[in-house]
């Protein structure tokens, strides 16, 4: 059975489809609302225009996956968060972010990101009890100074995809940075582990990461009280 | 070092704690020479401020000498004498650039808590709960001051600590409350609460051109100070009905602007006061907004109600019908201290205002718990306590 039981096919259907996702992803609306039943990865693949071979898991589904699916445990988690950064252009922010090895400075759960080549990178994140989870990510599509969309490839401990978008705000209001993510754990480690990995509330984790990105870019430092005295 | 630490309601202790260290490159360490107890510290003392943790160092009105600076601090140097504003502000965000310093986007490491409660996070504050950043406060021998080039103001020689200490909070707070009244010639301003902020609001309203200022309190020595220090007319709310008195004293119009310098622990009268006390005690209501209610009803049509007293949570029975149908304007917020530091220092230097006159007690830091007790209970005619580390 294919993984695409609950979502529409991952492959782009037409050029019109790509345009539709493009306007959703670059527009002012809430992206997740526009996606509805469609998987984010599917939409991003459509946006990429089908020019890229998708490396993701599409093989045989095991019993565990089938059970999880039937029980509704394979629901992927979707998050959308936006911040505004006033004193930086989309170009500056894109450049900092595009060097993925910078990301652990403000994404607390990341241990490291290693760039393998122009489109592929290896990610290691902290997991409970001193463990870690790893995955390779591939850039699906990219618009310089504007958009980076990625997906994890086959063999990921946590299947994830998403995009980050840098867009000028209204006059004098700087740059709006939006992250939209979707992730799904292997059926074996559902629920609690995922919650621990990405915080009790995934929205909160992404929101905090983005807020730290804003602090770093806007104020030049991440506000902290770690290491201060108390009675 | 020694520091005043909160351990629960009515439980402030002076403890020995580690000295603060530089944590970011724009931090400075200040050796504190004077630090005061604020009315808003009493809300912490009484246990009304959520997200305090036992051992938290309190205090947000302080000044002293710079003893260490981070590598990216350019404007301050070791040896400078500075007053530190109570909001922590980055100087770079939309709000700092708009002179709305207490709304800084980038200083609160616990922004998520504030976002849950308020929708968005205001600036972090020194020594004022984890909701507001969890920064160690200034009732201590030393404090770490983030964004050291942005907030602290250098104090020229020839001014005493007592003259300038209140630039950290209560002087700008009283001043902003008056400025928010948009005072025009002929205006009569009513001020509820003749504590330190109320006294500075009265003084500032006069400086900003109010024709008359009417002060409302029940403590005789505070009313006396409002009269003598601020030049206000007075109402003792335990002796007369405040609403009626204000109407009679303003030709039936009502005050053009009303300043609430009391905030969330107002002492209500009669049934309404009892209602709030009970609800607050069982945590159905977080704040007791008697003064805010009175101000709305007393204010003249089209007037301004300016809030300087702190509110933190949810308020019951606000007469919105009166506010709406009288077309009132509400102005409020934590003070944008950085905006006022320069202009108010100048007024102090010119002799237009002498903030030191409201100080009734100087105590060693070690006697802070006693300071809290006399300030809260208004014992020994206490109006303002300055602690000396």
């Amino acid at each position: 059975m294919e993984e695409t039981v609950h979502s529409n096919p991952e492959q782009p259907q037409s050029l019109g489809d790509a345009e539709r996702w493009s306007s959703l992803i670059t527009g002012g609306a809430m992206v997740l609302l526009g996606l509805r039943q469609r998987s984010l990865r599917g939409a991003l693949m459509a946006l990429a225009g089908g020019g890229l071979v998708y490396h993701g898991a599409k093989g045989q589904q095991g019993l565990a996956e089938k059970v999880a699916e039937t029980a509704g445990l394979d629901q992927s988690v979707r998050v959308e968060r936006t911040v505004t950064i006033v004193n930086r252009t989309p170009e500056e922010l894109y450049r900092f972010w595009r060097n993925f090895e910078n990301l652990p400075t403000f994404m607390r759960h990341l241990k490291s990101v290693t760039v393998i080549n122009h489109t592929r990178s290896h990610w290691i994140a902290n997991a409970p009890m001193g463990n870690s989870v790893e995955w390779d990510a591939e850039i699906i599509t990219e618009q310089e100074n504007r958009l980076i969309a990625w997906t994890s490839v086959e063999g990921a401990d946590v299947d994830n995809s998403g995009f980050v978008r840098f867009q000028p705000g209204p006059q004098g209001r700087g740059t709006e940075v939006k992250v939209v993510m979707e992730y799904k754990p292997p059926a074996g480690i559902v629920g609690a582990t995922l919650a621990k990995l990405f915080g009790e509330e995934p929205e909160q984790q992404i929101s905090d990461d983005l807020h730290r990105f804003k602090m770093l870019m806007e104020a030049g430092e991440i506000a902290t009280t770690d290491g201060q005295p108390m009675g | 070092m020694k520091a005043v630490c909160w351990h629960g309601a009515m439980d402030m202790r002076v403890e020995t704690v580690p000295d603060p260290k530089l944590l970011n490159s724009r931090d400075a360490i200040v050796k504190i020479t004077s630090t005061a107890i604020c009315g808003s510290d009493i809300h912490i003392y009484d246990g009304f401020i959520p997200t305090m943790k036992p051992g938290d160092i309190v205090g947000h009105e302080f000044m002293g000498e710079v003893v260490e600076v981070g590598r990216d601090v350019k404007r301050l140097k070791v040896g400078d004498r500075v007053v530190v504003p109570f909001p922590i502000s980055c100087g770079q965000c939309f709000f700092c650039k708009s002179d709305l310093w207490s709304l800084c986007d980038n200083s609160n490491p616990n922004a998520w808590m504030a976002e849950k409660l308020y929708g968005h996070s205001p600036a972090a504050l020194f020594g004022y709960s984890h909701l507001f950043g969890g920064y160690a406060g200034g009732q201590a021998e030393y404090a770490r001051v983030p964004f050291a080039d942005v907030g602290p103001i250098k104090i020229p020689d020839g001014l005493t600590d007592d003259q300038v200490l209140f630039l950290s909070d209560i002087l700008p707070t009283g001043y902003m409350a008056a400025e928010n009244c948009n005072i025009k010639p002929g205006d009569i301003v009513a001020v509820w609460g003749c504590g330190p902020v109320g006294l500075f609001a009265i003084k500032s309203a006069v400086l900003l051109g109010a024709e008359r200022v009417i002060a409302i309190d029940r403590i005789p020595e505070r009313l006396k100070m409002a009269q003598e220090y601020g030049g206000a007319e007075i109402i003792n709310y335990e002796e007369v009905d405040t609403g009626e008195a204000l109407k009679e004293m303003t030709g039936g119009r009502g005050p053009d602007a009303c300043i609430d310098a009391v905030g969330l622990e107002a002492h209500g009268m009669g049934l309404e006061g009892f209602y709030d006390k009970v609800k607050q005690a069982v945590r159905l209501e977080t704040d007791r907004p008697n003064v805010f209610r009175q101000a709305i009803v007393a204010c003249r049509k089209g007037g301004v109600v300016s809030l300087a007293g702190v509110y933190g949570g949810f308020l019951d029975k606000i007469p919105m019908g009166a506010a709406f149908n009288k077309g009132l304007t509400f102005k409020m917020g934590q003070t944008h201290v950085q905006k006022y530091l320069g202009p108010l220092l100048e007024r102090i230097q010119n002799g237009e205002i002498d903030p030191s006159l409201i100080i009734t007690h100087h105590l060693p830091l070690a006697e802070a718990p006693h300071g809290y007790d006399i300030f809260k209970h208004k014992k020994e005619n206490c109006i303002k306590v300055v602690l000396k580390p």
Side-chain angles (χ1 to χ4, degrees):
Chain A
M1 200 190 286
E2 296 265 311
E3 183 204 319
T4 50
V5 186
H6 287 292
S7 55
N8 291 328
E10 302 283 3
Q11 297 305 320
Q13 283 140 11
S14 65
L15 198 59
D17 200 30
E19 275 167 13
R20 189 154 67 88
W21 296 122
S22 174
S23 68
L24 175 64
I25 283 165
T26 59
M30 191 170 169
V31 174
L32 290 184
L33 207 64
L35 273 180
R36 297 176 199 281
Q37 296 306 309
R38 179 84 190 228
S39 83
L40 177 61
R41 176 156 58 192
L44 293 171
M45 297 300 290
L47 178 67
L52 187 104
V53 180
Y54 170 47
H55 300 270
K58 291 204 124 201
Q60 283 293 104
Q61 198 182 31
L63 180 64
E65 282 87 356
K66 281 180 188 153
V67 170
E69 217 166 63
T70 312
L73 293 173
D74 73 327
Q75 294 288 309
S76 51
V77 178
R78 292 171 158 200
V79 180
E80 174 169 2
R81 277 289 183 274
T82 312
V83 290
T84 298
I85 297 175
V86 290
N87 54 357
R88 299 281 182 173
T89 62
E91 290 76 10
E92 289 172 298
L93 298 175
Y94 167 88
R95 228 169 288 137
F96 186 87
W97 194 295
R98 183 62 177 81
N99 181 1
F100 298 135
E101 296 183 5
N102 282 332
L103 300 185
T105 50
F106 62 90
M107 292 187 173
R108 285 280 156 83
H109 64 290
L110 286 182
K111 210 176 268 179
S112 69
V113 181
T114 311
V115 172
I116 296 167
N117 61 37
H118 188 68
T119 57
R120 185 164 297 206
S121 46
H122 184 69
W123 300 58
I124 305 177
N126 296 307
M129 296 188 292
N131 296 317
S132 57
V133 287
E134 308 190 17
W135 65 89
D136 275 4
E138 181 80 25
I139 293 178
I140 306 176
T141 184
E142 178 168 31
Q143 296 165 17
E144 201 178 354
N145 301 330
R146 185 99 177 164
L147 181 87
I148 307 165
W150 77 89
T151 186
S152 58
V153 302
E154 195 168 356
D157 288 337
V158 179
D159 202 10
N160 67 88
S161 37
F163 69 87
V164 54
R165 183 187 84 187
F166 308 92
Q167 196 153 274
Q171 204 177 9
R173 297 296 164 91
T175 302
E176 295 172 3
V177 182
K178 183 187 284 289
V179 170
V180 181
M181 268 188 80
E182 176 180 82
Y183 50 88
K184 197 192 275 186
I189 52 157
V190 285
T193 310
L194 184 71
K196 277 183 197 146
L197 177 59
F198 288 97
E200 284 303 315
E201 296 169 82
E203 289 87 355
Q204 200 55 61
Q205 179 72 61
I206 304 299
S207 185
D208 289 351
D209 285 347
L210 265 183
H211 193 218
R212 281 189 288 265
F213 179 59
K214 174 180 159 74
M215 287 174 170
L216 189 62
M217 293 293 102
E218 207 169 70
E221 66 182 49
I222 296 170
T224 184
T225 57
D226 292 345
Q228 72 172 8
M230 70 182 294
Chain B
M1 67 165 183
K2 295 262 184 269
V4 181
C5 301
W6 181 88
H7 281 274
M10 314 292 168
D11 187 4
M12 293 289 188
R13 300 178 201 166
V14 179
E15 295 184 310
T16 302
V17 301
D19 289 351
K21 300 184 299 256
L22 299 172
L23 299 178
N24 268 329
S25 62
R26 294 166 71 193
D27 294 352
I29 304 292
V30 171
K31 182 180 194 299
I32 295 165
T33 53
S34 290
T35 175
I37 303 176
C38 180
S40 63
D41 289 330
I42 297 299
H43 304 320
I44 290 180
Y45 185 58
D46 287 347
F48 284 119
I49 302 298
T51 74
M52 287 295 294
K53 289 184 192 161
D56 282 348
I57 300 171
V58 295
H60 57 267
E61 298 181 358
F62 60 100
M63 64 178 296
E65 186 192 324
V66 176
V67 291
E68 201 181 347
V69 292
R71 66 175 188 278
D72 291 327
V73 175
K74 308 277 183 252
R75 204 176 54 79
L76 286 191
K77 56 182 192 310
V78 170
D80 283 344
R81 185 169 166 241
V82 294
V83 171
V84 180
F86 78 92
I88 301 171
S89 311
C90 78
Q92 301 293 325
C93 68
F94 172 82
F95 299 96
C96 289
K97 294 284 187 203
S98 309
D99 244 355
L100 300 167
W101 302 86
S102 73
L103 305 178
C104 174
D105 260 346
N106 293 321
S107 58
N108 188 352
N110 303 327
W112 64 272
M113 285 189 204
E115 282 169 7
K116 283 208 181 340
L117 191 57
Y118 299 144
H120 298 91
S121 174
L125 311 176
F126 284 103
Y128 214 77
S129 84
H130 292 264
L131 177 63
F132 290 102
Y135 286 89
Q139 287 169 16
E141 289 179 292
Y142 295 90
R144 166 193 165 233
V145 177
F147 305 114
D149 277 341
V150 179
I153 185 170
K154 283 191 225 177
I155 300 302
D157 293 338
L159 292 166
T160 64
D161 276 20
D162 286 354
Q163 281 176 291
V164 294
L165 172 62
F166 301 142
L167 285 169
S168 58
D169 177 353
I170 52 174
L171 178 58
T173 297
Y175 189 86
M176 186 169 108
E179 192 183 72
N180 277 342
C181 293
N182 193 20
I183 295 167
K184 295 189 181 65
D187 274 2
I188 303 175
V189 178
V191 179
W192 276 257
C194 300
V197 169
L199 292 170
F200 288 141
I202 292 166
K203 193 86 188 169
S204 302
V206 172
L207 283 174
L208 291 170
E211 178 88 16
R212 289 162 60 206
V213 179
I214 302 169
I216 302 140
D217 206 302
R218 69 189 166 98
I219 311 286
E221 64 270 16
R222 293 187 175 209
L223 287 167
K224 186 160 171 267
M225 200 174 265
Q227 238 170 347
E228 289 171 2
Y229 178 72
E233 298 159 51
I234 55 171
I235 293 174
N236 183 330
Y237 69 78
E238 284 184 332
E239 289 169 1
V240 292
D241 180 291
T242 305
E244 272 180 37
L246 281 173
K247 217 166 186 175
E248 288 317 303
M249 293 164 81
T250 56
R253 300 184 301 276
D256 300 282
C258 295
I259 295 173
D260 170 357
V262 177
L264 66 88
E265 288 187 70
H267 295 271
M269 297 281 282
L271 195 61
E272 180 202 332
F274 180 71
Y275 167 87
D276 286 319
K277 216 157 186 160
V278 169
K279 284 201 90 172
Q280 197 177 40
V282 297
R283 296 292 193 266
L284 286 172
E285 181 180 43
T286 57
D287 301 5
R288 297 198 303 255
N290 311 71
V291 165
F292 185 30
R293 291 181 191 132
Q294 272 186 18
I296 289 169
V297 176
C299 195
R300 80 145 160 82
K301 290 182 284 182
V304 178
V305 176
S306 166
L307 307 182
V310 169
Y311 289 94
F314 300 88
L315 279 61
D316 271 3
K317 305 231 179 317
I318 298 303
M320 281 306 292
F324 182 88
N325 289 296
K326 297 204 302 182
L328 300 184
T329 300
F330 292 168
K331 298 281 281 181
M332 64 193 85
Q334 296 282 3
T335 309
H336 308 301
V337 176
Q338 287 85 340
K339 173 182 174 184
Y340 299 100
L341 286 173
L344 288 175
L345 178 64
E346 214 177 295
R347 285 189 190 265
I348 294 169
Q349 285 176 300
N350 295 343
E352 287 174 79
I353 188 160
D354 182 358
S356 70
L357 295 175
I358 68 159
I359 301 171
T360 51
H361 291 74
H362 287 96
L363 297 174
L365 186 71
E367 287 178 37
H370 174 65
Y372 273 88
D373 178 55
I374 59 172
F375 184 41
K376 175 186 164 51
H377 296 105
K378 302 171 180 81
K379 294 177 189 167
E380 302 176 17
N381 294 341
C382 180
I383 291 178
K384 188 70 181 177
V385 180
V386 173
L387 302 168
K388 292 286 188 182

